[in-house]
Amino acid sequence: MGNQHGVMMLFLAGGLALWLLAVLFVLRVCRAAAKADENEAGRRLVRAGRRGVSVGLVTAAATLPVVPSNVEARTAARCANRNVPFEVAPASARAALECEIERVRALRGLHRLHANHRLSKAARRHAADMVRRHYFSHYSPAGDDVADRARRTGYAKRNCSWRLGEVLAWGVQTQSTAAATVRAWMGSPEHRHILISSRYSDIGVGTVAGTPDLRFPHGLTAAAVFGRRHC
């Protein structure tokens, strides 16, 4: 009887151990899935300082006053070619996109951003790489992110503290205009939070011909990188 009791206790202990292992496995899978969602989720806030880099997902949506439609229409005239498809006027696409971003910020009383050629280079290189290698993500196939790209252009220096935000888009025909691109970004809480944040002082915009999708070879791929640094 004692041996049977011992075997039963051993069986129960073994069953409990298996149950705990199953729970730990499920939790690990859930954490991995959550991490994957965070990595692929879209628009992130990147902070870095002298001691390293940390990456976090931007999820908060700013609460701002609604812009009256008549004011929206009146200010729209400030940005030339905002409704012109990329295929029609590719040379003016970047300027139109920069203007449209500044327009929606100005409507909400936000300060003007300074165009930064290093951030523009990072944005343009990433847009071109997505078209060339047919992917659409903040991470390159090698795993590089916006912080890595900003480092390579000299914006994110190791002896400086800095903050970065990135938004991406691609579209064809009427969806390749500056107005349509910014409207899509403003329709997403994560994108919107970066576009109308007061935490950034610099901006770089890159636009290239083509899309990451092989089915749509003609169109626009755009990247906008927002930054602030203190050295």
Side-chain angles (χ1 to χ4, degrees), residues 153-188:
T153 64
Y155 183 86
K157 298 179 179 180
R158 293 192 178 277
N159 62 341
C160 304
S161 61
W162 43 266
R163 175 190 299 270
L164 293 168
E166 181 181 68
V167 292
L168 308 174
W170 69 266
V172 298
Q173 299 180 1
T174 58
Q175 296 305 311
S176 67
T177 68
T181 300
V182 173
R183 186 161 54 245
W185 283 336
M186 291 293 285
S188 164

Side-chain angles (χ1 to χ4, degrees), residues 67-213:
V67 179
S69 58
N70 61 328
V71 176
E72 177 83 18
R74 189 168 62 250
T75 60
R78 298 175 184 173
C79 296
N81 298 322
R82 65 185 295 271
N83 286 311
V84 177
F86 176 78
E87 297 91 329
V88 176
S92 63
R94 187 173 67 85
L97 189 54
E98 287 179 347
C99 182
E100 189 68 5
I101 292 172
E102 291 293 0
R103 188 182 73 83
V104 298
R105 289 176 57 85
L107 283 171
R108 291 157 179 82
L110 296 168
H111 62 268
R112 187 173 182 82
L113 300 171
H114 303 288
N116 184 280
H117 73 278
R118 290 186 174 88
L119 292 182
S120 294
K121 183 183 294 185
R124 184 172 62 254
R125 285 177 175 176
H126 188 48
D129 190 56
M130 289 190 294
V131 172
R132 183 173 62 253
R133 294 201 277 176
H134 311 298
Y135 70 95
F136 186 63
S137 172
H138 292 283
Y139 293 90
S140 74
D144 293 341
D145 63 9
V146 63
D148 298 310
R149 294 186 285 275
R151 283 197 198 95
R152 284 195 289 268
T153 64
Y155 183 86
K157 298 179 179 180
R158 293 192 178 277
N159 62 341
C160 304
S161 61
W162 43 266
R163 175 190 299 270
L164 293 168
E166 181 181 68
V167 292
L168 308 174
W170 69 266
V172 298
Q173 299 180 1
T174 58
Q175 296 305 311
S176 67
T177 68
T181 300
V182 173
R183 186 161 54 245
W185 283 336
M186 291 293 285
S188 164
E190 292 84 4
H191 298 66
R192 176 186 173 92
H193 184 70
I194 292 178
L195 256 69
I196 57 177
S197 173
S198 60
R199 295 182 174 184
Y200 302 110
S201 58
D202 305 318
I203 187 174
V205 175
T207 58
V208 298
T211 78
D213 194 323

Side-chain angles (χ1 to χ4, degrees), residues 17-103:
L18 288 174
W19 181 81
L20 288 173
L21 286 173
V23 170
L24 289 173
F25 176 77
V26 171
L27 288 175
R28 179 171 292 181
V29 170
C30 290
R31 288 196 188 101
K35 185 64 177 175
D37 287 343
E38 178 178 331
N39 287 343
E40 292 299 324
R43 312 314 179 222
R44 297 148 307 127
L45 178 66
V46 180
R47 300 187 187 90
R50 298 179 184 180
R51 296 185 179 179
V53 180
S54 62
V55 181
L57 176 66
V58 176
T59 56
T63 301
L64 294 170
V66 177
V67 179
S69 58
N70 61 328
V71 176
E72 177 83 18
R74 189 168 62 250
T75 60
R78 298 175 184 173
C79 296
N81 298 322
R82 65 185 295 271
N83 286 311
V84 177
F86 176 78
E87 297 91 329
V88 176
S92 63
R94 187 173 67 85
L97 189 54
E98 287 179 347
C99 182
E100 189 68 5
I101 292 172
E102 291 293 0
R103 188 182 73 83

